[in-house]
Amino acid sequence: MTEPTGADGDTTGPLAPAAGPVAPRRRGPAAVLGDLRAVDGALYAAVAATPTPTLDRALRRLSHAADHSKISLGIAAALAAAGPRPRSAALVGVGAVAVASASADLLGKRLVRRARPDREAARVTVGRHVPMPTSASFPSGHTASAVAFAVAVGVVLPGAAVPLGVLAGAVGYSRVHTGVHYPGDVAAGAVLGVASAAAALTASSAVVAAARS
């Protein structure tokens, strides 16, 4: 079977040979950011669409309990009464929470100004709902504070690192589960929390060194 030809004898149609290699389209930062936002939104939608009735109430309560770092501050109060080393861990943990909270609220949210997810459009079940904050979505302040506390206390008290890390992870996930944050907000909050803990630990070490000199 011969390929169709045009009036001038050139081969045409879907069986025509390629003219040559096609250069890939250039992808700029804006296009990459758009792709990441698309993945972020898809993950958020997947969580919203997954029915988890046995977890909804617990995660809603956990998310609410983490407001204003109440869980971390409660743990810090218990540690402060448990001896000198736990007291030191509590102090550096509270310092890390302060750094994380200030960084998230005064810098991250004001610089990025990402809108909160549309919980109604994603059909997040009402049984998961917590009050939708009026602040910007990026980064997650709850996650930043919880991770900062877990890392800082875990460095001083290694035995507390795993349980506090699990708790911080649960707090971060609860913010997506309840529909008030995208997963990317939580990931950024976790990174900010680690950095805040490092800053608090560095400051604490400097204070101790100065006191001994």
Side-chain angles (χ1 to χ4, degrees):
M1 179 176 178
T2 60
E3 295 177 349
T5 58
D8 57 358
D10 291 336
T11 301
T12 60
L15 300 180
V22 179
R25 290 184 299 174
R26 299 180 68 85
R27 302 284 288 174
V32 174
L33 182 59
D35 288 349
L36 292 176
R37 284 182 178 272
V39 172
D40 205 15
L43 291 173
Y44 177 87
V47 172
T50 304
T52 53
T54 57
L55 293 177
D56 290 349
R57 176 180 292 184
L59 289 170
R60 187 183 71 241
R61 289 181 174 178
L62 176 62
S63 180
H64 180 69
D67 288 346
H68 309 295
S69 300
K70 293 193 294 286
I71 296 176
S72 296
L73 295 178
I75 295 173
L79 289 174
R85 190 172 182 82
R87 187 177 302 117
S88 297
L91 288 174
V92 74
V94 170
V97 168
V99 174
S101 180
S103 300
D105 294 336
L106 301 180
L107 292 177
K109 292 182 183 294
R110 294 189 179 187
L111 289 175
V112 179
R113 297 185 179 277
R114 186 183 195 184
R116 292 278 174 173
D118 189 340
R119 191 162 53 183
E120 285 67 33
R123 298 183 180 180
V124 177
T125 181
V126 176
R128 299 182 183 185
H129 284 195
V130 295
M132 180 66 77
T134 57
S135 60
S137 189
F138 184 96
S140 168
H142 284 66
T143 306
S145 295
V147 170
F149 184 80
V151 172
V153 172
V155 169
V156 181
L157 292 177
V162 171
L164 290 179
V166 171
L167 177 61
V171 168
Y173 174 74
S174 75
R175 302 304 283 171
V176 179
H177 193 85
T178 55
V180 298
H181 275 294
Y182 292 103
D185 303 333
V186 170
V191 172
L192 179 59
V194 172
S196 299
L201 288 164
T202 300
S204 177
S205 297
V207 169
V208 171
R212 290 176 177 175
S213 61

